[in-house]
Amino acid sequence: MDQKSIININIEDEMRQSYLDYAMSVIIGRALPEVKDGLKPVHRRILFAMNDIGNDFNKPYKKSARIVGDVIGKYHPHGDAAVYDATVRMAQDFSLRYPLVDGQGNFGSIDGDPPAAMRYTEIRMTKLSSFLLDDIDFETVDFVPNYDGSLKEPAVLPAKFPNLLINGSSGIAVGMSSNIPPHNLTETIDAILYFMDNADVSIDELKTLIKGPDFPTGGIIYGDSGINNYFKTGRGLVKVRAKYHFEKSKIIITEIPYQVNKSKILERIAELVKEKKIEGISDLRDESDREGLRVVIELKRDANEIVLINNLFKHTQLEETFGVIFLAIVNNQPKILNIKDMLSLFVNFRKEVVIKRTLFELKKAEARLHILEAFKIVAQNIDEVIELIKNSQSPAEARERLEGKYKFTDIQARAVLDLKLEKITNLEREHIIKEYEEILDRVKKLRDLLGSEKLINNVIKEELKLIKDKFGDKRKTEIVKEESEVTITDLIPNEAMIVMMTENGYIKRTKLSTFKAQHRGGKGQTGIKSKEEDFVANSFCANALESILFITNMGNAFKLNVYDIPETLKSSKGKPIVNLLNLREKELVTSVLPIVSFDKDYSIFIATKNGQIIKTSLDKFASIRKSGLIAIKLKEGDEVINTQIANNTIKNQLIVIATKMGKSICVDIEGFRILGRGAMGVRGIRLSKNDYVVSMDLLSSEEDYLVAFTEKGYGKKTKMTEFRKQHKGGKGIIAIKTGRRNGFVVSVLKASGDNDIIIITSNGKIIRINASDLRSIGRNTMGVKLINLDESERVVSAIIASGELKEEKDIKNN
């Protein structure tokens, strides 16, 4: 080998340069759309090839294979499948807002069905796509060599409408991607017309004309913050939901988000029902036909249709986020644009096209005028010209004599010699003079047009108005602005609920109204079905729209909304709490608290089994991450027993701490100072040997009562005035006398007025009695029987149903 032919190259530099060349080739030549015509190279080549063989909207269809063959043979040397796929997409009315290809045959479906093979389908351009190619023969755009240099192809089409905005585009290049949603043609053209008259228009003003994306599959866009973002910065997230309505225990889906496969939505819903992640659906079927999309979801009799549809939005593609990236090729470079940039670049491009077209027409008109000037002279001197030609020895001599006598140019002289004899009749001579005057007027107008930006703008406007009149339509996608956006909390009835959780960690919520009031001594109703070794360990009343604060035995805090907890029938066992909260091993929820507002005016009191109490401002729990927050630091062997919320604006509130052996202590809440979240707290009550705290509650009025409950179904109501106020850390006094007959204390709670008392047993039974049915008795008594228990059954929990909860009717009348 010749030593001089070897070139030393740094491998790193060569790899870097080669990769950059490859990246730019992909970016410019394949993956990203051109801002001028909104097309990628493959789409441009398909339309140009169709135009090249006259495959127009008003001509017969041609086999798709014919077009694909022309494209890959002449302009796009890639696989036929890639070209056919691109052609198919331009024909799908669910992919393009305004299809550019008119297809005949099977071109796939919104269910993801593939199109028929290209040998079976036929295509032609749509009427709209012809406006992308208008004036292409008028030297309006640059032509470049094709891949082998044998032909020329347009670098861009002279698009008369903003195709990039109305049809959108998506593509992934090297290190970048573009995702431009489609927009309404009428709105987009209106915005361009306004922009042309008001170049300094703000993006906020443009947004009053272009509302936002307009997807071919319709749907509803929720919130306009994402639209505002991409209008201004070129990037934004747009949330799109399916359109639905209710029909007699049915949810009817009529539109779905853009680029979502309908059959996959149905499969996902079926999976969720099978896995019992969504309950309340009895049947699911697809009734879509030529008239449009229709998915029917039949509901069970007790299903909450609002909660169900919102769960479907959460767990399926009935709600999708469309990530907008306004990235396009501008002057052979990728660039992120805002909405005003898009309009400006299109208008500038149209001005270039109109100017080039006008120059072409002027050049052609002037050439014709040049010849007509000679014809006009000939018409005025017909006999002399005929005699001159007749007496010439050759065409060259005749041409020279014409040029000499009449000052004709070579082009004019040749045109005169090529003139047919029929053109020298009187009638044709008149036509020549008439055409000359018309062309002269045409040249004047073209020159005036080139000299006036206003006239050029008028031409562009007229062309846009024509397209708007022919193809403009109403929006398909509805936009619900943020200020009027319907949220899940707006749709859920604010009903009173009982939230129950078992010892083994199953949680549920049930409407309070499903439990009828009974008199004391009744057998109760089954409130939850549980296994023999399981029982209800914690329960609370709350309204559906309240937040729920969970405090665990390990002193951690978690937060959910009440409506996030699955609603079930009263006999259902519920769902595992570990599916809702990120609990640690052996961590159990001990307190479930409804929170209306995380306000500084409220304090949270946490009591531990060993008698420790911590008081913390409630606003410290407003933001709780999924993994939870530390509410109280516990000593080894201690655990959280109960938690209460106190309103700091109410004076003379007492905190009552009750123990297993019937002792209680009442302490003014002002006696506890506010500590930071995660502190160890202070001693609330001094415990006797083998005794421990079983409950804690707050008293705020002398009219309040303390109701004590024991494990063998006994209870009693005692006036608050019988409990003297003590300092924190004392031994307390007797709240209820305990013994073999009534058992140890389960809970001591506050009741006032005609509150309902909910008593839950280890077998899952619930009895609901009214506090007014209990007569007030002294502290040092064993109470009366409140519920009849089976031999192995015991009371495990008791709660007070607050009168503040919203009820449809008086419970006692149900």
Side-chain angles (χ1 to χ4, degrees):
M1 182 182 291
D2 186 359
Q3 192 69 25
K4 293 182 179 179
S5 64
I6 299 175
I7 302 174
N8 292 322
I9 298 174
N10 186 308
I11 187 69
E12 291 183 9
D13 294 339
E14 180 63 24
M15 288 291 289
R16 184 181 296 109
Q17 187 57 48
S18 296
Y19 188 76
L20 286 173
D21 291 344
Y22 160 74
M24 287 306 297
S25 174
V26 172
I27 291 167
I28 304 299
R30 188 182 302 178
L32 300 182
E34 167 63 55
V35 73
K36 295 175 180 178
D37 60 8
L39 299 171
K40 298 179 188 178
V42 64
H43 302 112
R44 187 179 303 116
R45 287 162 179 165
I46 291 167
L47 294 176
F48 181 65
M50 294 173 77
N51 181 72
D52 207 28
I53 62 172
N55 193 203
D56 299 324
F57 69 91
N58 54 0
K59 303 285 179 60
Y61 291 92
K62 294 186 184 295
K63 284 287 185 183
S64 300
R66 164 72 190 280
I67 306 301
V68 171
D70 275 5
V71 172
I72 62 177
K74 294 179 178 179
Y75 310 113
H76 199 74
H78 298 278
D80 58 350
V83 175
Y84 185 51
D85 287 347
T87 306
V88 165
R89 187 177 182 279
M90 288 196 290
Q92 294 173 334
D93 59 3
F94 53 86
S95 292
L96 261 65
R97 181 64 175 82
Y98 302 91
L100 301 176
V101 170
D102 179 8
Q104 186 168 262
N106 175 16
F107 280 83
S109 74
I110 199 169
D111 287 319
D113 299 317
M118 69 179 85
R119 61 182 178 275
Y120 298 122
T121 61
E122 297 178 331
I123 57 173
R124 63 185 179 186
M125 290 193 295
T126 61
K127 192 170 185 179
L128 178 63
S129 63
S130 67
F131 285 90
L132 286 173
L133 290 140
D134 268 1
D135 306 331
I136 197 166
D137 297 324
F138 285 52
E139 297 180 357
T140 51
V141 293
D142 295 332
F143 275 70
V144 296
N146 69 339
Y147 65 93
D148 64 359
S150 61
L151 296 169
K152 295 279 190 177
E153 63 173 305
V156 66
L157 299 184
K160 283 188 175 179
F161 61 91
N163 181 57
L164 185 57
L165 272 175
I166 71 163
N167 270 326
S169 184
S170 63
I172 300 174
V174 180
M176 61 185 68
S177 64
S178 176
N179 203 26
I180 301 169
H183 297 77
N184 184 268
L185 183 144
T186 301
E187 292 179 359
T188 304
I189 289 180
D190 284 343
I192 291 173
L193 296 175
Y194 187 81
F195 170 76
M196 293 181 71
D197 290 332
N198 305 273
D200 58 347
V201 61
S202 69
I203 289 178
D204 288 334
E205 286 180 275
L206 289 175
K207 192 171 176 295
T208 63
L209 299 169
I210 305 180
K211 309 297 183 184
D214 189 21
F215 299 111
T217 53
I220 302 174
I221 294 173
Y222 274 78
D224 62 356
S225 60
I227 299 173
N228 290 333
N229 288 340
Y230 85 75
F231 268 37
K232 293 177 180 178
T233 68
R235 293 177 180 269
L237 298 175
V238 177
K239 183 170 74 174
V240 189
R241 281 184 176 179
K243 185 174 284 188
Y244 69 94
H245 64 273
F246 299 114
E247 286 182 10
K248 295 181 180 178
S249 298
K250 297 175 185 175
I251 299 174
I252 310 297
I253 309 294
T254 55
E255 295 174 5
I256 61 175
Y258 183 48
Q259 295 178 328
V260 169
N261 186 314
K262 172 163 61 69
S263 63
K264 287 187 177 179
I265 291 178
L266 298 177
E267 290 172 10
R268 178 58 179 156
I269 294 174
E271 286 175 9
L272 291 168
V273 173
K274 185 178 180 180
E275 295 169 1
K276 295 186 178 180
K277 289 184 178 178
I278 290 184
E279 296 183 346
I281 295 177
S282 61
D283 192 21
L284 174 67
R285 60 182 180 273
D286 186 1
E287 296 182 356
S288 304
D289 55 22
R290 291 176 181 270
E291 300 299 317
L293 186 146
R294 179 181 168 91
V295 173
V296 179
I297 303 171
E298 291 202 6
L299 309 181
K300 294 179 182 178
R301 184 178 299 177
D302 60 338
N304 186 321
E305 56 191 19
I306 301 299
V307 175
L308 187 55
I309 190 64
N310 281 287
N311 274 319
L312 290 173
F313 285 145
K314 181 178 180 181
H315 297 291
T316 74
Q317 287 184 297
L318 288 175
E319 178 179 299
E320 275 286 282
T321 299
F322 189 95
V324 180
I325 306 174
F326 263 14
L327 180 69
I329 301 299
V330 181
N331 297 326
N332 284 326
Q333 290 186 337
K335 187 176 180 181
I336 290 183
L337 310 165
N338 61 35
I339 192 73
K340 190 173 179 180
D341 294 333
M342 286 272 197
L343 302 183
S344 177
L345 288 166
F346 175 76
V347 170
N348 290 340
F349 171 62
R350 284 305 301 161
K351 287 179 180 178
E352 290 177 15
V353 169
V354 171
I355 290 170
K356 288 180 179 179
R357 182 182 67 194
T358 305
L359 287 169
F360 177 84
E361 290 178 337
L362 179 60
K363 180 181 175 183
K364 193 173 180 182
E366 287 177 336
R368 181 60 179 167
L369 187 66
H370 186 58
I371 291 173
L372 287 174
E373 285 174 346
F375 287 176
K376 184 180 176 184
I377 293 171
V378 169
Q380 293 169 348
N381 302 277
I382 187 65
D383 294 333
E384 291 180 9
V385 171
I386 291 174
E387 188 67 26
L388 184 150
I389 296 172
K390 188 168 62 172
N391 293 330
S392 299
Q393 297 298 315
S394 66
E397 183 184 343
R399 189 169 65 249
E400 288 177 5
R401 293 178 67 186
L402 285 170
E403 291 174 4
K405 183 166 185 176
Y406 298 107
K407 308 298 182 185
F408 288 164
T409 63
D410 185 64
I411 293 173
Q412 288 176 317
R414 289 178 185 275
V416 170
L417 290 174
D418 290 338
L419 192 66
K420 293 181 179 180
L421 289 174
E422 66 181 23
K423 293 291 184 181
I424 63 175
T425 63
N426 284 332
L427 185 60
E428 286 300 318
R429 278 183 284 170
E430 289 177 8
H431 284 169
I432 287 171
I433 294 170
K434 184 179 179 182
E435 184 185 359
Y436 174 79
E437 291 172 348
E438 288 175 352
I439 296 293
L440 189 64
D441 184 58
R442 173 71 175 155
V443 168
K444 181 179 181 303
K445 288 181 178 178
L446 291 171
R447 286 173 177 166
D448 290 344
L449 178 59
L450 287 171
S452 171
E453 185 176 1
K454 182 179 179 181
L455 291 177
I456 291 173
N457 286 342
N458 288 341
V459 170
I460 297 169
K461 290 177 185 177
E462 290 304 316
E463 291 173 348
L464 287 170
K465 288 176 183 176
L466 174 66
I467 293 172
K468 174 188 166 184
D469 293 341
K470 282 181 176 288
F471 306 104
D473 58 1
K474 294 181 179 179
R475 288 189 63 86
K476 290 187 176 183
T477 302
E478 182 183 347
I479 299 176
V480 179
K481 298 188 185 299
E482 286 179 335
E483 48 266 27
S484 59
E485 184 177 346
V486 178
T487 65
I488 187 170
T489 56
D490 295 325
L491 300 174
I492 292 178
N494 195 18
E495 298 174 294
M497 298 284 176
I498 294 181
V499 179
M500 287 181 283
M501 194 169 63
T502 72
E503 179 72 16
N504 287 346
Y506 282 84
I507 191 168
K508 61 176 275 187
R509 63 183 170 102
T510 306
K511 291 178 183 176
L512 184 62
S513 58
T514 60
F515 297 99
K516 297 178 181 178
Q518 300 180 24
H519 294 290
R520 66 182 178 89
K523 290 289 287 183
Q525 305 173 58
T526 299
I528 186 168
K529 274 188 179 178
S530 58
K531 297 179 182 178
E532 290 184 7
E533 67 273 13
D534 199 8
F535 60 89
V536 175
N538 204 307
S539 52
F540 214 96
C541 287
N543 289 325
L545 297 184
E546 291 177 351
S547 294
I548 294 290
L549 186 63
F550 295 85
I551 306 296
T552 72
N553 60 332
M554 294 183 179
N556 296 317
F558 297 87
K559 186 172 72 170
L560 286 176
N561 296 309
V562 174
Y563 57 75
D564 289 329
I565 299 169
E567 181 182 355
T568 65
L569 297 173
K570 61 185 179 182
S571 59
S572 172
K573 71 177 182 179
K575 297 291 180 185
I577 188 66
V578 293
N579 290 349
L580 302 176
L581 302 180
N582 191 13
L583 298 177
R584 297 160 179 77
E585 187 178 357
K586 296 183 180 180
E587 187 169 20
L588 302 172
V589 173
T590 57
S591 296
V592 186
L593 303 165
I595 308 294
V596 178
S597 174
F598 289 90
D599 197 296
K600 287 184 178 181
D601 287 339
Y602 291 85
S603 297
I604 181 168
F605 284 84
I606 301 175
T608 76
K609 187 175 183 178
N610 291 344
Q612 292 293 110
I613 301 289
I614 186 174
K615 176 184 178 183
T616 307
S617 180
L618 185 60
D619 68 312
K620 301 299 182 185
F621 295 85
S623 299
I624 300 180
R625 52 184 175 268
K626 266 192 169 183
S627 58
L629 292 176
I630 297 174
I632 183 173
K633 187 176 180 180
L634 299 174
K635 291 182 179 179
E636 188 175 351
D638 201 3
E639 61 180 309
V640 171
I641 293 297
N642 206 350
T643 309
Q644 295 292 334
I645 305 294
N647 186 339
N648 300 333
T649 62
I650 299 175
K651 302 297 182 184
N652 301 319
Q653 290 187 88
L654 300 178
I655 183 170
V656 57
I657 306 167
T659 74
K660 176 182 100 169
M661 294 182 177
K663 288 289 188 73
S664 67
I665 188 170
C666 292
V667 182
D668 193 319
I669 66 169
E670 298 298 328
F672 296 90
R673 63 187 180 87
I674 292 179
L675 301 175
R677 181 179 52 77
M680 294 186 69
V682 296
R683 179 178 290 177
I685 186 170
R686 189 179 299 274
L687 299 170
S688 302
K689 187 177 181 181
N690 297 325
D691 200 6
Y692 56 81
V693 174
V694 293
S695 69
M696 173 186 66
D697 210 337
L698 293 171
L699 303 174
S700 57
S701 169
E702 291 186 358
E703 302 299 320
D704 287 340
Y705 291 87
L706 280 179
V707 184
F709 307 92
T710 66
E711 59 186 352
K712 292 189 176 180
Y714 283 74
K716 69 167 190 172
K717 182 172 73 173
T718 306
K719 276 191 173 184
M720 171 186 167
T721 52
E722 292 200 28
F723 294 86
R724 70 178 186 272
K725 191 187 300 185
Q726 297 177 267
H727 294 292
K728 66 178 184 290
K731 288 188 175 182
I733 58 175
I734 293 175
I736 183 170
K737 193 173 182 180
T738 60
R740 183 175 295 179
R741 181 165 66 94
N742 63 351
F744 290 117
V745 175
V746 172
S747 190
V748 176
L749 303 174
K750 173 190 75 173
S752 59
D754 61 350
N755 285 151
D756 284 337
I757 300 170
I758 311 294
I759 302 173
I760 300 104
T761 75
S762 57
N763 289 349
K765 283 184 182 177
I766 289 181
I767 186 170
R768 182 172 182 171
I769 61 176
N770 196 274
S772 61
D773 290 344
L774 297 176
R775 64 185 182 86
S776 179
I777 55 180
R779 287 189 301 103
N780 197 16
T781 57
M782 300 186 78
V784 296
K785 195 159 207 176
L786 302 180
I787 182 171
N788 290 323
L789 303 174
D790 295 334
E791 187 174 342
S792 61
E793 194 175 15
R794 63 190 180 91
V795 173
V796 294
S797 180
I799 58 175
I800 302 297
S802 171
E804 296 175 358
L805 291 167
K806 296 178 181 178
E807 295 287 351
E808 294 177 0
K809 296 179 181 178
D810 185 354
I811 295 297
K812 290 190 289 185
N813 294 331
N814 284 346

